[in-house]
Amino acid sequence: MRVSLNWLNQLVNIENVNLEHLIEKLTLGGFEVEEILEVNIHGKKEIVIEISATANRADSLSIKGIAKEVNSLMHISQKNYKFLRPYKEKSFTPINEIENCSVFFAATIENLNNYITPYWLKQRLISVGILPVNNLLDYQNYILLETGFPFEFYDLVKIKKKVDMDKFNLTLGYSKSKTKLIGNNDIKYNLNNKTLVLKIGEEILSIAGII
């Protein structure tokens, strides 16, 4: 994965850290730095490093994950994040516990009328080689890159029309064998009883965390 040092510096204080020293520490920690890139974004130069990890450390392949590693390897303090909370906590709905899923929640977003991706978010995506497309997909990519958590948007109006209900429960479960799902990329997937899916009743919305 590509890691922008400017983006990383938003989470852990590396502003005065020597780049070679940082790379050495990451390498000793099991993260191979394959390439150092200098990216020009709207006239400003950014240093980006491309990192690979061993198969058992995929959990660290996010900006937040690498920030934690830098904090541990170099004893550099992490920066406090301050979030605005324009939502009510009760809008988050806990879903039933299931094996191999530590947490899953859903939130309803209504009255969305601004479809412009913020400039700062576009810059961060471009810095790691992701082309901004639209604000929903851009937020989805941003959250995945920074936190490592899969994140999906669903059209609530279309769902209500499909299931013919205004109120319903989302559930995680396993599909039946020989079930087929056409993803939003128009590819047909053959599911089995080990495929974790997100459902409303028997209606499958997605292969959980994937598509």
Side-chain angles (χ1 to χ4, degrees):
M1 69 168 289
R2 290 187 177 182
V3 177
S4 162
L5 297 192
N6 281 350
W7 191 348
L8 184 62
N9 190 56
Q10 298 297 313
L11 301 180
V12 62
N13 193 5
I14 60 166
E15 194 168 356
N16 298 317
V17 174
N18 179 273
L19 179 58
E20 291 183 4
H21 183 53
L22 174 63
I23 291 172
E24 180 186 5
K25 287 294 187 180
L26 287 171
T27 303
L28 291 173
F31 299 89
E32 183 180 353
V33 179
E34 298 181 341
E35 194 174 4
I36 302 172
L37 306 168
E38 191 175 86
V39 182
N40 191 310
I41 304 175
H42 303 300
K44 294 182 179 180
K45 291 182 179 179
E46 283 195 30
I47 301 297
V48 176
I49 55 178
E50 187 151 353
I51 295 177
S52 64
T54 54
N56 65 325
R57 292 310 317 274
D59 60 295
S60 296
L61 289 182
S62 64
I63 304 297
K64 193 172 182 179
I66 294 298
K68 287 182 178 179
E69 294 298 323
V70 171
N71 168 250
S72 177
L73 292 166
M74 303 182 70
H75 307 291
I76 298 175
S77 60
Q78 289 183 267
K79 295 181 178 179
N80 292 325
Y81 243 63
K82 292 182 179 179
F83 292 101
L84 295 177
R85 291 197 170 192
Y87 58 81
K88 297 178 182 179
E89 287 289 342
K90 66 179 182 180
S91 65
F92 289 97
T93 308
I95 307 298
N96 56 303
E97 292 185 11
I98 196 163
E99 187 181 359
N100 299 324
C101 179
S102 58
V103 63
F104 178 84
F105 64 82
T108 302
I109 302 172
E110 298 176 318
N111 302 318
L112 185 63
N113 50 33
N114 185 349
Y115 295 93
I116 300 172
T117 302
Y119 177 73
W120 64 268
L121 196 150
K122 286 182 180 179
Q123 283 188 304
R124 290 192 180 179
L125 293 181
I126 292 170
S127 72
V128 294
I130 304 294
L131 185 66
V133 179
N134 60 62
N135 71 335
L136 296 183
L137 185 58
D138 294 344
Y139 277 119
Q140 184 179 351
N141 285 329
Y142 173 78
I143 290 170
L144 179 61
L145 288 166
E146 179 158 293
T147 69
F149 288 108
F151 181 75
E152 296 287 349
F153 282 104
Y154 299 92
D155 190 320
L156 185 58
V157 173
K158 287 183 179 179
I159 290 174
K160 286 181 177 180
K161 185 176 180 181
K162 190 173 184 67
V163 300
D164 195 25
M165 290 185 290
D166 284 332
K167 293 184 179 181
F168 51 82
N169 291 322
L170 295 174
T171 59
L172 282 175
Y174 294 98
S175 67
K176 297 177 182 178
S177 293
K178 299 181 180 180
T179 301
K180 298 186 185 298
L181 172 72
I182 299 176
N184 55 5
N185 56 3
D186 294 324
I187 294 176
K188 183 184 290 184
Y189 296 89
N190 296 314
L191 313 182
N192 57 44
N193 58 7
K194 294 183 179 179
T195 307
L196 186 63
V197 294
L198 178 65
K199 301 187 294 182
I200 298 174
E202 294 302 315
E203 189 74 41
I204 297 176
L205 290 182
S206 70
I207 302 175
I210 298 176
I211 191 165

